[in-house]
Amino acid sequence: MRSGFVNIIGKPNAGKSTLLNALIGEKLAIVSSKVQTTRHRIRAFLNGPDYQIVFSDTPGVIEPKYKLHERMMEAVRSSMEDADVCLLMADIRDDFEELDAMFTALSLKVKAILVLNKSDMVKQNRVGEAIAFFNGKSYCSGIIPISASKKQNLDVLLDKIILSLPEGEPFYDQDELTDMPTRFFCGELIREKIFELFDEEIPYQATVMVTRFEEKTTLIKISADIIVQRESQKAIILGAGGIMIKKLGTLSRQSIEQFLDSKVFLEIFVRVRNNWRNNESHLKEYGYHA
Ligand SMILES: Nc1nc2c(ncn2[C@@H]2O[C@H](COP(=O)(O)OP(=O)(O)OP(=O)(O)O)[C@@H](O)[C@H]2O)c(=O)[nH]1
Ligand SMILES: [Mg+2]
């Protein structure tokens, strides 16, 4: 039996969350075309006949600008500390020198597999160039080109991961998929719709907290707060005559219903908390623990 922690680390938007979902076969981590979508470390388990992999998706590595960013980078650091194997994830179109500088700066203490994602977007010779460039780098014990969204070459990646795992018994119950509470994922699905529906700064000024989760006989009742930093942002989320919040509510409810495989009654409130991204007690309240 092999088991261990495999943590996915890389720049924002590289496709880390898409990979987690593809490997697990469930949509657990939210995905968007915008950077800095993921804010928490998200653990998910993959069980095979003779292995258990505890994958962690993490926020993209950035230079922190405010306390929320610092929390996000703490999630990355904690993932680096308990990893048995790191998946260093890169968009294969990114600049190799820049990626190299970033991966070197991480000073990883464990084996890392370089995962070159979005290979579906480039010609074969780019893959060859990447392998030639990264081959022999000190942090790199293997290089695997994949497409997370097209699920290409994931079997090769998985085989390589399993071979790199230490021997040991499973850490978690084999019926479990994740150790995060269901209500967390419901909040995330609402946040994903905010990323989808609103441009510019709004997704970055907002967070979501599920305040009620009640399983009734025929449906699940969920209440959630969307927290923004200013009244003007609240007005944008509500939209003229409430048109945007209505749209957001419908889309969120549908995706939560799909996730929970149940009928859902969803109530959303928009609240303004000045500068919540820089306020310790607000961050804690909204689930961004130190
Ligand atoms: N063409 C292509 N697009 C991909 C692939 N994998 C992910 N994407 C897209 O890249 C974008 C970012 O994907 P995410 O999975 O959210 O990226 P991430 O690394 O988790 O991003 P952060 O959470 O912001 O750090 C989304 O629009 C995905 O659909 C891939 O293999 N090929
Ligand atoms: Mg992500």
Side-chain angles (χ1 to χ4, degrees):
M1 191 80 193
R2 289 174 186 271
S3 66
F5 287 76
V6 176
N7 302 340
I8 312 172
I9 291 172
K11 268 175 53 171
N13 209 44
K16 300 176 294 299
S17 302
T18 307
L19 176 63
L20 181 90
N21 295 338
L23 288 166
I24 298 294
E26 285 279 340
K27 196 190 140 169
L28 280 179
I30 61 168
V31 166
S32 89
S33 59
K34 300 184 173 78
V35 297
Q36 293 178 37
T37 305
T38 304
R39 291 183 185 158
H40 296 85
R41 173 179 185 172
I42 297 171
R43 286 191 197 77
F45 318 138
L46 184 66
N47 291 296
D50 52 3
Y51 64 84
Q52 180 180 68
I53 309 174
V54 182
F55 284 108
S56 291
D57 180 21
T58 66
V61 174
I62 48 166
E63 205 57 61
K65 292 206 181 72
Y66 35 84
K67 284 203 174 78
L68 171 66
H69 281 161
E70 288 170 19
R71 293 286 182 282
M72 288 159 64
M73 291 312 100
E74 280 161 24
V76 177
R77 260 195 301 283
S78 84
S79 303
M80 282 166 48
E81 277 161 17
D82 66 21
D84 293 298
V85 179
C86 268
L87 302 184
L88 290 178
M89 188 144 196
D91 183 328
I92 192 163
R93 298 168 299 180
D94 281 350
D95 183 77
F96 296 157
E97 297 283 353
E98 250 175 59
L99 289 169
D100 179 47
M102 179 190 148
F103 293 149
T104 304
L106 293 176
S107 310
L108 286 177
K109 293 184 185 67
V110 292
K111 282 191 242 186
I113 302 170
L114 179 63
V115 180
L116 297 168
N117 192 34
K118 310 198 187 181
S119 296
D120 55 296
M121 301 297 284
V122 297
K123 298 217 172 69
Q124 193 55 35
N125 66 344
R126 178 77 177 165
V127 176
E129 283 164 20
I131 292 173
F133 180 89
F134 287 104
N135 206 3
K137 296 284 182 199
S138 57
Y139 47 80
C140 186
S141 74
I143 306 173
I144 304 192
I146 64 158
S147 168
S149 61
K150 294 203 153 56
K151 299 190 168 63
Q152 288 164 358
N153 227 21
L154 299 187
D155 45 346
V156 175
L157 174 61
L158 195 57
D159 286 348
K160 172 89 184 160
I161 292 170
I162 294 167
L163 280 176
S164 314
L165 287 180
E167 286 184 9
E169 292 304 308
F171 292 92
Y172 294 92
D173 192 331
Q174 282 170 304
D175 300 329
E176 301 289 319
L177 196 62
T178 172
D179 62 351
M180 313 282 277
T182 305
R183 56 199 290 159
F184 165 78
F185 293 103
C186 298
E188 287 290 274
L189 289 170
I190 298 170
R191 218 162 56 72
E192 183 177 58
K193 297 300 163 210
I194 298 175
F195 268 80
E196 220 169 276
L197 286 181
F198 299 96
D199 287 330
E200 312 286 332
E201 274 297 293
I202 294 290
Y204 302 103
Q205 311 271 4
T207 193
V208 175
M209 190 171 61
V210 171
T211 54
R212 178 174 70 154
F213 187 96
E214 280 172 25
E215 296 185 50
K216 304 279 182 193
T217 39
T218 55
L219 53 67
I220 300 175
K221 280 191 162 179
I222 299 173
S223 306
D225 284 352
I226 296 178
I227 298 105
V228 290
Q229 304 213 107
R230 279 194 279 279
E231 289 294 338
S232 59
Q233 295 155 3
K234 175 173 175 175
I236 294 173
I237 291 197
L238 295 176
I243 186 166
M244 292 311 285
I245 189 75
K246 206 165 163 210
K247 203 164 165 182
L248 180 68
T250 305
L251 290 173
S252 302
R253 178 181 48 77
Q254 287 166 347
S255 89
I256 295 171
E257 284 182 334
Q258 199 179 356
F259 178 68
L260 298 176
D261 195 18
S262 161
K263 215 171 140 42
V264 163
F265 172 80
L266 175 65
E267 222 176 8
I268 297 179
F269 304 92
V270 185
R271 304 193 192 282
V272 179
R273 294 286 178 272
N274 261 325
N275 210 17
W276 69 265
R277 296 185 305 187
N278 252 326
N279 179 301
E280 294 285 357
S281 63
H282 284 328
L283 285 167
K284 203 166 156 199
E285 184 185 352
Y286 306 146
Y288 303 99
H289 301 286

